[in-house]
Amino acid sequence: MSEKMDRRKQYTRMVLKDSLMQLLQTKTLASITIKEICELADINRSTFYAHYANQYELLTSIEEDFTIDLIQTLSQYNFAKEHEALQLTEKLFEFISANSGTCQILLGENSDIHFQKKGMEIAQEYVFKNWMNDQELDQETYEYLNLFIVSGCIYVIKQWLENGKKKSPVEMAGILLKFIKRGLDGMK
């Protein structure tokens, strides 16, 4: 009986998440109502509130699921050197490509900025941390450079997704790292 309840609970959360993601394609999070989510998911409001307090908490849950999957993917690799960053960046683009619909919605204008900030933290932690630490910069300059590079990377990814991923993940990783290297070389 417990397994049946767990499956039912998982199913309910899945349809709620799918419904919110569908609505985010055309509406801002602030303009989406619980009623709309429930109608699309074909569940009642009390069931929604048994799982989430509001649409913001539901979005946070979606973002956390995506982030956990991304971190698990990136954690499989231990690339600490500049030349190894290309391989990790390729894996990042492959993950984004495989999850492009979700990523595009979460990075889109109808979502919230929290996901982009979390993406910046992940990119800094897994892609640029060791590479940029090789630069001889004071802490404040390092923070500005990191913010500049990572936010630029996010917008490159957004543009790549919006343009239909015309270049492969390998090509995009090479382009992105070439931009970054040129920027870091300019800091010397």
Side-chain angles (χ1 to χ4, degrees):
M1 185 70 161
S2 168
E3 184 180 322
K4 186 175 182 179
M5 286 300 279
D6 288 342
R7 285 186 18 211
R8 207 180 298 166
K9 192 175 190 181
Q10 288 174 343
Y11 174 78
T12 301
R13 288 183 178 180
M14 180 191 69
V15 296
L16 288 170
K17 289 175 183 181
D18 290 346
S19 297
L20 180 61
M21 292 297 280
Q22 189 174 341
L23 291 166
L24 282 171
Q25 291 177 26
T26 57
K27 298 178 80 171
T28 64
L29 182 62
S31 68
I32 295 172
T33 65
I34 303 303
K35 181 181 178 183
E36 290 174 302
I37 296 169
C38 291
E39 285 176 356
L40 194 57
D42 195 26
I43 64 164
N44 61 46
R45 290 170 60 95
S46 62
T47 302
F48 178 92
Y49 289 118
H51 296 274
Y52 302 102
N54 53 42
Q55 68 271 41
Y56 299 96
E57 187 176 298
L58 175 57
L59 180 61
T60 299
S61 178
I62 294 167
E63 292 170 346
E64 287 172 356
D65 290 348
F66 185 88
T67 302
I68 288 167
D69 289 347
L70 176 59
I71 290 171
Q72 286 176 344
T73 298
L74 296 179
S75 295
Q76 296 174 29
Y77 307 96
N78 187 19
F79 302 126
K81 305 266 188 250
E82 179 181 336
H83 68 279
E84 296 168 330
L86 177 62
Q87 295 168 328
L88 181 61
T89 308
E90 287 173 8
K91 297 298 178 194
L92 175 65
F93 272 100
E94 288 170 4
F95 179 85
I96 291 168
S97 180
N99 297 281
S100 61
T102 300
C103 194
Q104 203 164 1
I105 292 168
L106 293 177
L107 290 174
E109 293 181 21
N110 289 336
S111 197
D112 70 338
I113 195 73
H114 178 265
F115 182 72
Q116 289 184 28
K117 289 179 181 178
K118 185 66 178 170
M120 292 173 80
E121 292 170 12
I122 293 168
Q124 198 280 327
E125 176 69 24
Y126 288 91
V127 181
F128 304 116
K129 183 179 179 183
N130 295 322
W131 190 13
M132 286 181 54
N133 282 340
D134 293 341
Q135 305 296 312
E136 295 178 14
L137 304 171
D138 63 83
Q139 184 62 32
E140 185 177 18
T141 304
Y142 169 82
E143 288 174 11
Y144 285 133
L145 179 61
N146 182 58
L147 179 64
F148 180 78
I149 289 173
V150 175
S151 61
C153 291
I154 286 174
Y155 281 92
V156 167
I157 289 167
K158 284 175 71 169
Q159 187 69 29
W160 177 65
L161 291 170
E162 288 171 10
N163 287 339
K165 303 180 297 184
K166 293 178 183 167
K167 295 198 179 290
S168 71
V170 172
E171 290 172 307
M172 286 306 298
I175 290 169
L176 200 62
L177 290 177
K178 193 180 298 181
F179 291 162
I180 293 167
K181 181 149 177 40
R182 284 184 183 165
L184 291 176
D185 287 346
M187 294 296 295
K188 292 179 182 177

